[in-house]
Amino acid sequence: MTNGADQVLRPEPFEPTPLRPPRRRWFVPWLQLTTVLVVLVAAVILWFLFTAKSVRFESNVSDGTLAITGGVVIPTGDTYLMRPGNYEVQAEAEGYFELALSIEVTREGDQTFPIELKKLPGDVEFSSSPTGAEVVMNGEVLGRTPLQVQVPAGEATIEFSAPRHIDGDVSVVIEGKREAQVVHLDLAPNWANVEIPTSPEAATVYLDDVDSGFVTPGPVEILAGEHKITLKKPGFAEWSDIVFVTAGERRSMDAVVLEPLDGVLTITSEPTGATVNIDAQYHGVTPTSVEVIPNEEHVVEALLVGYERGLRNVTVPSGQSLSIDFELEEAVGSLTVTTRPEGAEVWVDGRMIGRSNDTFVLHAVRHSVELKMEGYAGYSNDLIIQPGLRQNLRVELLTLEEARIKKLEEVRSTIDGQALLLFEPTAILMGASRRQPGRRANEVFRTAELGRMFYISAHEVTNAQFRVFATGHNSGEYQGMPLDKDDQPVVNVSWNEAALYCNSLSEREGLEPFYRVEGARVVGINRNSLGYRMPTEAEWSWVARHVDDSEELLHFPWGENLPPPDRHGNYADRAAQHIVSRILYDFNDNHSVSAPVGTFPRNSKGLFDIGGNVAEWTHDFYTIPESHSTVDVLGPTDGEYHVIRGSSYLHGTITDVRLSFRDYGIDGRSDVGFRVARYAE
C-alpha cells in the first residue's frame, strides 16, 4: 500500500505493555487503636495506684481547705493518693492565718502530716471605770482606756492602773479570729471620803501642805495612808493634825473650832515679789497675809531690788483685816563706760544705748552689758546697777589676734548650744571615809592626777539637742509624767548611744572623734583626740566636789548637812512622794520628775544640776579600785559596765544624794542622762 510516490510501509516487532503490580493499602482499624489507648491508660492508672501512698492531713480546724501542688494528687475521702516526692501544701480557714508548708511523701505506707493553723488576733475593746486607766498585758503597755486593739488569741492577764485608784487585773481568754470582745474592769478608789466639820465652815483643806481643792465640811477625798491635814481660813488661825485613812472608808472627824485672829494685814505690791518687813521682822514676799497684834501701830516695809523702799505705818483693829498696796517706784543709778580704744558701741539688755566714754542712767537691777567694735573682740558681762550710785566700767578691748590667744580661757559653746566651761584641774582624792554615813564599799579612797585642761558642758544634754543626732529618740515618761520635753535632760539612752552622740558632735565641728567605733559599737578610744566625750569619773568628781584650793571636798552638792537649802536642786522630795518611797522630808523643789536644765542654781564651778535632776554617765569603765591607789584619769581600759555619778529626781536617801555615790550600768534608764566634755588642747 502506498501513499504518495515511493513510500513503503514496513512492519515493526510487537511488544506488549508491562503489567503494574497492584498498590498495597496500609491502615489500622479504629477499634484496634482505641483498645491500645485504653490499655495504656489502664496501665498508667494501675502503675500510679500501685506506687502511690495514702496520705492523711490532720488539721486542728475542721472547715479548712487544702491546696496541694507538686504532682498528681487524687483525693479519696479524708485521704489523698500521692506518689513519693516533694509537695507544697497551702492551708486556709476563715479566722486563721494562712499556712504554707513543704512536705516529703516517702515510700513508707500510710503517712500523716499535721496541719496547725493559728488563730487571727481578736478585736478587743478595753474599758474601765474610771476611764483613762493604763492597760498592760504580759508586761506590755497597750494604751489607756477606752482602747480598742487587736490582741493575740489565748489566755491573758490584763492589768489596769489609774491615778488615785487601786490597781486591778482580770484573766481572760482572747477568742481571736477577728471576733469582737469587751474587757471591762471597775477600779476601786484608793481614797477615803472624810467629813471635816468646822466652825465656821468653808475652810480650805491642805493635805501634806498642798491645797486639796476641798473646803470644809467636805467630804474630802484623802488618799489611803497617813497625811497631814491643815485647815486655813482668812481671819482665823491655822489648824493641823495627822490622820490615817483606809481606802473606801467613810468617816467623820471631830468638829474643829477655828480660832479667830486678832488682826490680819494683807500686803500687796506692784511689781510683786517685794520683801515684807513688819516692825523690822521678815514676813515673806508680796502678796502675803500676816497676823498682827491688833490696835497697835506697826511699821510695814516693802523692799525690792531695783525699786525705792516702800514704808507705811498701820494699825489693824481687833478682829478685822486691813489691806495695803505699795506702788514701788524704780530706783536708778548711772554707769560710766570707758574703753580703749574709744567709740565702742554700748549695748544693754540687747539694745544699743550709745557709745563708750559716756555715762548712762539705768534701772538699778541686773543688766547684760555688751561692748562691740569692728576689728576687736567683743566684751560682755552682767552688772548690777546700784541705786543712787555712779559706777564705772573700764574695758581694754582685745584685737582679734589677742582674743584668739585668750580664747582657751573663755566659756565656749558646742554646735548644739551647750555652754562649755574651761578648767585647769588639780589632783583629786576621790571616795569617802568609811565613817561617812551612807558610804558604800565601792567608794574607796583613790587619787587621780588631772594633768590636762578640759571643757565640760554647763548643762546636761537636752532632748532637743540629742534629737539633732537621733531624730526619733523619745525619752518617754515616768509614772505618767513626761520626760521628753525639749528642755528636759535626755534620758533612756545607753552609754554607747551617748558616746555615738559625742562622736557626731565632734564630726559636725570638724574634730577627730574620741571614740573608735566599729559598726555601731564603741570598741576603743583615741587618747590624744580633742573630740567630745563624756567626762571622766575623776573630772566629774573635781567639778562636783572641789572648792577653791581647799583640801576638804564637798560632802553634798549644797554643803555638809541635810536637808538641802530650799530649791537647791531636783531630788526626791515632797513633790515626788507619789512616785518614790524614800524622799527628803522638809524639802520641796516643785518637780516630781526631771526639770528643765538650768532650773536650779549653779554650783561653785558654774555647772547646773551636777547633783540632782538626772544622774549622769561618765566615760570610765566600772571597777572597785584598790584603796589609796593612783588611778588613770581615763579609768580602766576595759570592762562591761560604766560608772554613773550624781543623784537624780528619784534619789532621796543619805546614800545616793552624796557626791561620792557611785552607780553603774550599760543600758538606758529613765533617770540617767549625760553631759559632754573634751580636752582643751
Side-chain angles (χ1 to χ4, degrees):
M1 183 175 189
T2 63
N3 182 11
D6 294 324
Q7 291 186 355
V8 181
L9 295 174
R10 293 183 179 88
E12 294 289 336
F14 173 76
E15 291 183 5
T17 302
L19 296 174
R20 293 181 180 177
R23 182 178 297 171
R24 298 184 64 180
R25 300 174 67 183
W26 297 89
F27 66 92
V28 179
W30 284 107
L31 180 60
Q32 186 178 357
L33 180 58
T34 301
T35 303
V36 171
L37 291 175
V38 170
V39 171
L40 287 175
V41 171
V44 172
I45 293 173
L46 289 173
W47 170 80
F48 178 82
L49 293 175
F50 277 109
T51 59
K53 304 300 177 183
S54 176
V55 178
R56 177 186 295 273
F57 294 94
E58 292 185 349
S59 175
N60 63 323
V61 179
S62 61
D63 56 352
T65 61
L66 294 179
I68 306 171
T69 58
V72 178
V73 179
I74 299 178
T76 59
D78 293 336
T79 62
Y80 299 82
L81 292 179
M82 304 166 63
R83 294 199 67 253
N86 294 318
Y87 295 83
E88 299 296 325
V89 179
Q90 189 82 18
E92 298 180 359
E94 185 177 359
Y96 292 81
F97 289 101
E98 292 183 2
L99 175 66
L101 70 157
S102 299
I103 65 170
E104 181 183 4
V105 177
T106 64
R107 297 183 181 278
E108 298 178 0
D110 295 344
Q111 299 174 49
T112 301
F113 295 93
I115 302 293
E116 289 289 337
L117 294 177
K118 293 185 178 179
K119 293 180 179 179
L120 292 170
D123 294 326
V124 182
E125 179 183 344
F126 295 98
S127 61
S128 67
S129 176
T131 59
E134 183 178 73
V135 181
V136 178
M137 185 180 78
N138 299 329
E140 178 185 357
V141 177
L142 301 182
R144 295 186 178 276
T145 59
L147 173 69
Q148 188 161 1
V149 294
Q150 291 185 350
V151 180
E155 295 183 355
T157 298
I158 312 299
E159 301 173 358
F160 293 79
S161 61
R164 297 176 57 82
H165 288 75
I166 300 173
D167 294 350
D169 60 70
V170 58
S171 296
V172 297
V173 175
I174 305 301
E175 298 298 334
K177 300 196 297 184
R178 301 294 192 213
E179 293 185 6
Q181 284 181 256
V182 176
V183 178
H184 179 84
L185 184 65
D186 293 322
L187 295 174
N190 192 29
W191 69 78
N193 286 311
V194 180
E195 290 191 2
I196 310 175
T198 61
S199 177
E201 294 183 342
T204 302
V205 180
Y206 285 75
L207 297 175
D208 301 318
D209 298 323
V210 176
D211 189 346
S212 68
F214 292 93
V215 295
T216 60
V220 181
E221 294 180 1
I222 303 178
L223 288 177
E226 186 177 87
H227 300 277
K228 174 186 175 183
I229 295 180
T230 303
L231 305 180
K232 297 182 180 182
K233 187 176 178 65
F236 294 85
E238 291 185 5
W239 178 93
S240 295
D241 198 1
I242 301 297
V243 64
F244 185 89
V245 298
T246 303
E249 74 170 323
R250 296 187 64 90
R251 60 185 289 188
S252 179
M253 297 177 57
D254 293 337
V256 176
V257 177
L258 299 177
E259 297 294 333
L261 298 174
D262 288 337
V264 176
L265 183 60
T266 299
I267 304 105
T268 59
S269 70
E270 179 58 39
T272 61
T275 297
V276 175
N277 293 328
I278 300 177
D279 299 330
Q281 298 294 317
Y282 173 75
H283 284 277
V285 297
T286 58
T288 186
S289 294
V290 183
E291 301 173 17
V292 295
I293 299 174
N295 303 321
E296 290 186 8
E297 186 176 75
H298 301 281
V299 178
V300 182
E301 183 181 34
L303 301 173
L304 184 62
V305 174
Y307 292 85
E308 299 291 349
R309 171 192 182 203
L311 190 66
R312 299 275 183 84
N313 292 339
V314 297
T315 300
V316 183
S318 178
Q320 296 186 22
S321 298
L322 180 65
S323 296
I324 58 175
D325 180 67
F326 289 97
E327 292 286 342
L328 301 178
E329 297 182 1
E330 284 191 2
V332 297
S334 61
L335 176 66
T336 299
V337 180
T338 306
T339 65
R340 191 171 61 178
E342 300 178 1
E345 295 178 352
V346 180
W347 292 70
V348 175
D349 299 329
R351 182 175 62 89
M352 181 179 173
I353 62 172
R355 293 187 178 272
S356 62
N357 293 56
D358 200 353
T359 299
F360 308 95
V361 176
L362 299 174
H363 185 195
V365 293
R366 181 184 296 273
H367 294 281
S368 173
V369 178
E370 295 181 85
L371 304 177
K372 301 179 182 181
M373 192 170 191
E374 185 175 356
Y376 289 83
Y379 167 89
S380 64
N381 199 3
D382 286 348
L383 297 178
I384 298 177
I385 302 301
Q386 301 298 327
L389 297 180
R390 177 174 175 173
Q391 296 168 247
N392 295 302
L393 175 63
R394 294 182 174 87
V395 177
E396 183 171 350
L397 297 175
L398 301 178
T399 65
L400 296 177
E401 179 64 19
E402 292 169 336
R404 186 189 67 79
I405 296 173
K406 195 176 180 180
K407 196 172 184 179
L408 285 177
E409 301 174 1
E410 298 176 351
V411 175
R412 297 171 57 92
S413 176
T414 71
I415 197 171
D416 284 347
Q418 295 104 321
L420 297 175
L421 304 181
L422 177 66
F423 294 104
E424 185 173 4
T426 58
I428 185 170
L429 178 66
M430 296 187 288
S433 167
R434 291 183 178 180
R435 296 187 299 274
Q436 188 179 102
R439 186 259 198 192
R440 302 202 311 177
N442 65 358
E443 300 174 26
V444 299
F445 281 131
R446 71 268 188 209
T447 301
E449 297 287 344
L450 284 76
R452 296 175 67 178
M453 295 176 67
F454 67 94
Y455 291 105
I456 187 169
S457 60
H459 301 95
E460 294 153 339
V461 177
T462 66
N463 286 308
Q465 291 162 347
F466 190 78
R467 277 194 281 267
V468 175
F469 160 69
T471 56
H473 178 75
N474 188 327
S475 287
E477 60 180 28
Y478 188 81
Q479 297 292 329
M481 286 167 285
L483 302 173
D484 199 46
K485 295 179 180 178
D486 282 352
D487 56 358
Q488 287 178 290
V490 66
V491 293
N492 283 319
V493 292
S494 67
W495 183 93
N496 193 82
E497 290 171 324
L500 294 179
Y501 169 83
C502 292
N503 272 12
S504 170
L505 196 59
S506 300
E507 291 167 353
R508 284 185 283 134
E509 293 190 10
L511 300 172
E512 179 186 12
F514 184 82
Y515 295 104
R516 290 192 295 107
V517 176
E518 292 182 1
R521 302 298 302 174
V522 175
V523 296
I525 62 173
N526 300 319
R527 298 181 71 94
N528 295 323
S529 166
L530 297 184
Y532 290 98
R533 54 178 170 78
M534 284 163 277
T536 68
E537 185 178 11
E539 291 169 343
W540 192 99
S541 299
W542 193 87
V543 297
R545 305 188 64 191
H546 178 267
V547 180
D548 299 327
D549 294 326
S550 171
E551 294 183 359
E552 293 294 327
L553 301 179
L554 279 178
H555 186 172
F556 298 108
W558 56 86
E560 296 302 311
N561 300 303
L562 286 170
D566 188 37
R567 292 185 59 78
H568 172 275
N570 186 8
Y571 310 98
D573 65 334
R574 293 200 305 268
Q577 62 187 349
H578 60 293
I579 61 172
V580 294
S581 57
R582 303 290 297 277
I583 67 170
L584 292 169
Y585 290 96
D586 298 326
F587 180 74
N588 185 10
D589 54 46
N590 292 333
H591 290 275
S592 298
V593 293
S594 62
V597 299
T599 298
F600 300 94
R602 303 171 184 258
N603 75 348
S604 63
K605 291 289 189 289
L607 274 64
F608 294 93
D609 301 319
I610 201 71
N613 217 22
V614 296
E616 300 176 9
W617 287 117
T618 68
H619 164 77
D620 300 39
F621 284 110
Y622 174 79
T623 61
I624 301 179
E626 293 184 6
S627 180
H628 296 285
S629 60
T630 298
V631 297
D632 190 319
V633 69
L634 288 173
T637 57
D638 57 22
E640 179 178 2
Y641 300 100
H642 288 271
V643 176
I644 298 171
R645 293 299 298 266
S647 52
S648 76
Y649 64 87
L650 294 178
H651 291 147
T653 70
I654 194 173
T655 292
D656 44 36
V657 297
R658 296 172 307 113
L659 287 173
S660 60
F661 172 67
R662 302 177 77 221
D663 202 352
Y664 62 92
I666 188 170
D667 297 322
R669 267 179 20 197
S670 60
D671 70 328
V672 175
F674 69 101
R675 68 180 72 223
V676 297
R678 73 175 183 86
Y679 287 122
E681 55 187 7

